[in-house]
Amino acid sequence: MHNTVVIKSNRAGMIVILDPDIPFPQLLSDVGKKFGDNAKFWGSVQMTLTLEGRQLTSEEEFAIINQITENSNVEIICLVDTDASRLERCEKALNEKLMELSCQTGQFFKGNLQSGETLESEASIVIIGDVCKGAKVLAKGNVVVLGKITGTVCAGVAGNRNTLITALEMAPLQLRIGDCTAGLDGRGRRLGRGPMKAYLENNKVIIKPMKKSMEIFRKLR
């Protein structure tokens, strides 16, 4: 195998550059071998994935993801698309779904919450944007942030302990669910790589990575 598969890492995840000329079955085999040979190097991680170098169908993309997960302990949580038109379609579909969700179960906010701003909701709320340091979100229901949390987010503020907080990236100053506050150090440290969720378990705020189904991304295309 002569550089038919090149792996690069960045702050958000990994980029896999694929040879554009070899037959796909051979490429698939090379992907499996590449990740198998480097399994110890990557270890057990969750990462985003960007595929570059050749045009791929959805079926080929998922075949590559399967090869990666079967030959290593890398879990792909999100397939990042660099195709501008496809990204636009995904964003449109996502916005439509979120508008539908906001009408049915809660509220919808689009934009970044800046320092000093407070957003309150009588129900669940979906935020497309960041909750910046010094900003605060208070919701009686769930809080879904399609962006980064570096401020303070409180879910279930009326005492609902069955609510949760999710975000594409978490580095919060503080999180609270119901009457329980997460034991953070107040420095806004990043809590993990990729999408995270926070929920209550045994009177303690648990913060864990989200294991997203790739089927979600297939449907958004």
Side-chain angles (χ1 to χ4, degrees), residues 89-189:
R89 293 196 300 273
C90 289
E91 183 178 4
K92 181 179 179 182
L94 179 59
N95 284 341
E96 289 173 353
K97 283 294 182 182
L98 290 172
M99 287 298 291
E100 179 183 340
L101 175 65
S102 67
C103 292
Q104 292 176 352
T105 61
Q107 297 181 357
F108 173 91
F109 178 86
K110 187 172 184 179
N112 295 328
L113 287 172
Q114 302 295 340
S115 178
E117 295 182 327
T118 298
L119 179 64
E120 299 185 43
S121 173
E122 292 294 314
S124 295
I125 187 162
V126 176
I127 300 169
I128 296 185
D130 298 333
V131 180
C132 300
K133 186 176 181 179
K136 183 180 291 186
V137 178
L138 305 171
K140 290 185 178 180
N142 304 314
V143 179
V144 177
V145 180
L146 298 179
K148 183 177 181 179
I149 297 175
T150 54
T152 297
V153 176
C154 306
V157 295
N160 186 350
R161 297 165 64 88
N162 294 319
T163 53
L164 76 158
I165 300 167
T166 66
L168 296 185
E169 186 175 340
M170 281 192 185
L173 289 180
Q174 193 54 264
L175 296 178
R176 193 178 82 225
I177 298 177
D179 55 357
C180 296
T181 301
L184 305 178
D185 59 12
R187 298 181 182 180
R189 293 180 178 179

Side-chain angles (χ1 to χ4, degrees), residues 14 18-19 34 38 51 133 140 163 170 179 185 191 211 215:
M14 69 168 61
L18 306 169
D19 189 291
K34 186 80 169 184
N38 293 276
L51 298 175
K133 186 176 181 179
K140 290 185 178 180
T163 53
M170 281 192 185
D179 55 357
D185 59 12
L191 300 183
K211 295 182 179 180
E215 185 65 23

Side-chain angles (χ1 to χ4, degrees), residues 28-134:
L28 204 59
S29 175
D30 290 350
V31 169
K33 187 175 189 307
K34 186 80 169 184
F35 277 86
D37 291 345
N38 293 276
K40 289 185 178 180
F41 171 79
W42 290 105
S44 181
V45 294
Q46 292 182 317
M47 306 189 79
T48 64
L49 172 66
T50 303
L51 298 175
E52 297 182 354
R54 66 187 283 162
Q55 293 292 322
L56 298 166
T57 66
S58 296
E59 290 73 19
E60 288 173 338
E61 288 174 344
F62 284 95
I64 289 172
I65 290 169
N66 287 336
Q67 280 290 91
I68 293 172
T69 56
E70 288 175 3
N71 289 279
S72 69
N73 291 318
V74 175
E75 180 182 350
I76 304 301
I77 57 174
C78 176
L79 184 61
V80 179
D81 204 325
T82 56
D83 185 291
S85 62
R86 184 182 289 180
L87 282 173
E88 185 177 350
R89 293 196 300 273
C90 289
E91 183 178 4
K92 181 179 179 182
L94 179 59
N95 284 341
E96 289 173 353
K97 283 294 182 182
L98 290 172
M99 287 298 291
E100 179 183 340
L101 175 65
S102 67
C103 292
Q104 292 176 352
T105 61
Q107 297 181 357
F108 173 91
F109 178 86
K110 187 172 184 179
N112 295 328
L113 287 172
Q114 302 295 340
S115 178
E117 295 182 327
T118 298
L119 179 64
E120 299 185 43
S121 173
E122 292 294 314
S124 295
I125 187 162
V126 176
I127 300 169
I128 296 185
D130 298 333
V131 180
C132 300
K133 186 176 181 179

Side-chain angles (χ1 to χ4, degrees), residues 10-22:
N10 55 31
R11 190 169 64 88
M14 69 168 61
I15 300 171
V16 177
I17 303 171
L18 306 169
D19 189 291
D21 300 319
I22 67 171

